[in-house]
């Protein structure tokens, strides 16, 4: 086991992730939700799959995913969730319990 | 308290009015046990459990949100470059995985900490604004790149 590389990847990813989009989303979702455990497990699972994809794509050094399109889809998704949170709906009364 | 409801914390909102002499501590314990059940067992179609359904709904929403936010992001690019450079993908993945689990745990803990002194309404607004800003941030990345 190459402990140097393990430590390097941990520190690099940890620092680049602090205050990043996905951590801000985890903060927003975790503070909002009744089940923070589900938010944590969902966030951790998503990040593991995303970094697994990164590692596989990196190893094959091929661009498999059109990142621009994924970002557009993600932006629309966030906008929809933001509107749902900002508009007073029946959902917010459900969450307030 | 009736026996048929006690193992299922998920049905708590329905039975709560009947249990007026129940201590808050007991309710809390039930909630915790239901959360643990939801964590370790897959969704059970036989008994429609509110808590379990809510767990998977939150899990799914969070998974899709974070996954989409993370694709093509600097963290993923960092792992991609490191694994391309060192040809040790599993060590890079292990380090990245440990870091990402730590940061998402920190994120959720910060969110919970904020919720202790902010009203749910304020928190909803703040979360909505945050997600809208992330959306704008992603679109800006697309336009710029």
């Amino acid at each position: 086991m190459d402990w140097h590389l393990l430590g390097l990847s941990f520190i690099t990813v940890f620092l680049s992730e602090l205050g990043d989009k996905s951590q801000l989303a985890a903060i927003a979702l975790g503070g909002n939700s009744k089940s923070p455990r589900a938010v944590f497990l969902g966030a951790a699972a998503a990040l593991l799959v995303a970094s697994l994809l990164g590692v596989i794509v990196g190893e094959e050094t091929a661009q498999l995913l059109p990142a621009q399109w994924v970002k557009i889809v993600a932006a629309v998704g966030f906008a929809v969730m933001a509107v749902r949170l900002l508009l007073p709906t029946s959902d917010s009364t459900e969450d307030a319990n | 308290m009736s026996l048929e409801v006690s193992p299922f914390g998920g049905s708590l909102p329905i039975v709560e009015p009947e249990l007026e002499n129940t201590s808050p501590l007991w309710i809390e314990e039930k909630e915790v046990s239901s959360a643990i059940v939801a964590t370790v067992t897959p969704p059970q179609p036989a008994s429609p459990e509110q808590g379990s359904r809510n767990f998977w709904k939150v899990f799914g929403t969070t998974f899709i949100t974070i996954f989409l936010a993370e694709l093509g992001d600097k963290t993923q690019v960092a792992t991609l470059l490191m694994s391309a450079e060192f040809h040790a993908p599993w060590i890079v993945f292990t380090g990245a995985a440990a870091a990402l689990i730590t940061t998402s745990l920190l994120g959720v803990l910060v969110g919970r900490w904020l919720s202790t002194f902010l009203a749910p309404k304020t928190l909803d607004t703040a979360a909505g604004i945050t997600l809208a800003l992330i959306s704008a941030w992603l679109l800006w990345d697309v336009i710029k790149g």
Side-chain angles (χ1 to χ4, degrees):
Chain A
M1 181 63 112
D2 187 346
W3 294 102
H4 184 73
L5 180 57
L6 186 73
L8 180 72
S9 54
F10 180 87
I11 291 164
T12 308
V13 171
F14 186 80
L15 290 181
S16 77
E17 192 59 19
L18 278 185
D20 199 16
K21 288 191 279 293
S22 46
Q23 205 192 19
L24 294 179
I27 291 171
L29 293 166
N32 227 8
S33 165
K34 275 184 285 180
S35 47
R37 203 186 311 253
V39 174
F40 167 64
L41 291 176
L47 293 168
L48 291 189
V49 176
S51 68
L52 185 64
L53 276 177
V55 162
I56 290 166
V57 172
E59 185 64 10
E60 293 173 1
T61 52
Q63 285 296 104
L64 296 179
L65 290 161
Q68 301 295 85
W69 283 100
V70 175
K71 279 190 179 178
I72 292 170
V73 172
V76 172
F78 277 107
V80 168
M81 287 175 68
V83 167
R84 273 184 55 193
L85 278 168
L86 291 171
L87 290 179
T89 54
S90 55
D91 270 6
S92 59
T93 51
E94 186 193 302
D95 286 342
N97 289 332
Chain B
M1 74 186 81
S2 52
L3 265 175
E4 73 270 22
V5 289
S6 58
F8 301 106
S11 53
L12 186 62
I14 303 153
V15 291
E16 198 175 12
E18 298 170 21
L19 308 166
E20 280 175 4
N21 56 349
T22 308
S23 74
L25 194 68
W26 185 77
I27 292 169
E28 202 175 299
E29 198 185 322
K30 263 180 59 148
E31 276 175 354
V32 167
S33 71
S34 102
I36 290 163
V37 166
T39 311
V40 291
T41 59
Q44 301 142 332
S47 64
E49 239 189 273
Q50 182 71 38
S52 181
R53 257 188 293 143
N54 188 47
F55 177 89
W56 288 107
K57 198 179 132 195
V58 173
F59 179 88
T61 308
T62 311
F63 183 88
I64 293 162
T65 306
I66 305 275
F67 184 73
L68 290 179
E70 195 55 25
L71 279 186
D73 202 17
K74 59 176 180 284
T75 313
Q76 205 193 18
V77 173
T79 55
L80 194 151
L81 293 176
M82 273 195 291
S83 109
E85 195 179 331
F86 296 107
H87 296 288
W90 294 112
I91 297 174
V92 173
F93 175 69
T94 308
L100 293 168
I101 289 169
T102 313
T103 55
S104 55
L105 185 63
L106 277 177
V108 173
L109 290 178
V110 169
R112 298 312 289 171
W113 174 71
L114 287 174
S115 75
T116 57
F117 56 83
L118 290 177
K121 188 79 198 159
T122 317
L123 213 61
D124 268 3
T125 310
I129 291 167
T130 307
L131 294 175
L133 284 177
I134 294 171
S135 168
W137 187 348
L138 285 164
L139 282 177
W140 176 244
D141 276 359
V142 172
I143 293 162
K144 220 175 44 170

